Amino acid sequence: MTEPGFVRARRPEHKQQRREAILAAARDLAERVGVRDVSLGNVADAVGLAKSNVVRYFGTREEIYLELAAEAWQEWGAAVTERLRAREAADEVTDVLADTLADRPLFCDLLAHMSTNLEHNVSVPAARVFKRAVLRVIADLGAEIAQARPDLSADEGAELVGVATGMAGTLYPVANPPAAVAELYASDPDIAATCPPFLPTLRRFLAVFTAGVTTLRGTPVIRTAGRGRD
């Protein structure tokens, strides 16, 4: 039984419009309250559908946010590429990575929940599409970084991208604490001083990593895979 007023999308373009409406509603909710606090029911209510009809388009809440995460990776990759190609000689590659991440709080929030939440409760096809999209972005950015920093190889550039996004996902929830912790920080400056500011900490960490990575050449590492097959 469908909810009152529900009209099933039958044409491909109508189905695509409904998918996009679901993604837009999920994005808006996450921007307002954070990825952690959005349920499938919240998304369904926001788009005007029953949960049973939302899952006709996405199997789970996590699959919705995994698709948004793939889009965010691709958008960030394009922004970083543009900045690297246009940068002044004095601009540091590490600052470009850190600054563009700081400009994208939703992406950082998605990164924070990636392996602990969003990659759970998803289908193998959904996970494959997501991983292929991310690996392409990482490989492409690795090559762009090698062009901008000839002292780094494309593999080392890809490692830097992985470190940047991994660290952003770790730092973001720490630098943006929940209400009780934020209240604690406001009332206790000594404790508040231990909370790392997002952008300066990320910049410093990436600068340290980049300075040290060339000294580790020859040490076995797990390389980031290259371009995935379509």
Side-chain angles (χ1 to χ4, degrees):
M1 181 175 179
T2 59
E3 71 273 23
F6 174 75
V7 178
R8 180 168 300 180
R10 299 186 183 279
R11 297 173 64 87
E13 60 268 29
H14 296 159
K15 292 179 180 180
Q16 183 59 32
Q17 288 170 1
R18 188 152 286 171
R19 280 181 60 88
E20 291 173 358
I22 292 168
L23 290 170
R27 183 186 297 107
D28 179 65
L29 286 166
E31 288 175 341
R32 288 193 282 116
V33 303
V35 173
R36 177 181 179 274
D37 292 324
V38 181
S39 69
L40 185 63
N42 295 147
V43 176
D45 289 343
V47 81
L49 297 174
K51 288 195 291 185
S52 60
N53 288 310
V54 173
V55 299
R56 295 177 186 274
Y57 300 91
F58 299 92
T60 63
R61 163 200 178 268
E62 288 76 17
E63 288 190 11
I64 296 172
Y65 281 106
L66 211 59
E67 183 156 333
L68 286 175
E71 291 179 0
W73 267 96
Q74 291 162 343
E75 190 276 332
W76 176 68
V80 172
T81 297
E82 182 179 357
R83 284 277 300 274
L84 288 176
R85 293 179 180 181
R87 73 192 182 98
E88 300 294 334
D91 291 341
E92 291 290 339
V93 167
T94 52
D95 288 347
V96 171
L97 293 173
D99 292 350
T100 52
L101 284 164
D103 288 342
R104 291 163 173 77
L106 177 57
F107 183 35
C108 292
D109 195 12
L110 289 164
L111 290 170
H113 291 280
M114 198 65 58
S115 60
T116 59
N117 185 340
L118 300 185
E119 291 183 351
H120 297 253
N121 196 31
V122 297
S123 66
V124 171
R128 179 178 291 112
V129 168
F130 171 72
K131 290 294 189 181
R132 293 291 187 196
V134 172
L135 290 175
R136 281 193 291 270
V137 173
I138 292 174
D140 289 347
L141 286 183
E144 291 289 342
I145 289 171
Q147 288 291 320
R149 282 281 303 259
D151 58 323
L152 296 177
S153 69
D155 277 342
E156 289 165 344
E159 285 184 75
L160 178 58
V161 172
V163 170
T165 51
M167 192 65 182
T170 299
L171 276 174
Y172 183 79
V174 178
N176 296 273
V181 178
E183 185 177 343
L184 171 64
Y185 288 161
S187 64
D188 196 325
D190 290 340
I191 296 179
T194 67
C195 179
F198 181 86
L199 183 55
T201 305
L202 183 57
R203 280 182 168 182
R204 179 175 174 81
F205 192 94
L206 297 184
V208 170
F209 174 84
T210 305
V213 71
T214 56
T215 67
L216 297 176
R217 285 178 178 150
T219 302
V221 294
I222 299 175
R223 293 294 186 191
T224 303
R227 303 172 192 270
R229 292 170 296 180
D230 291 327

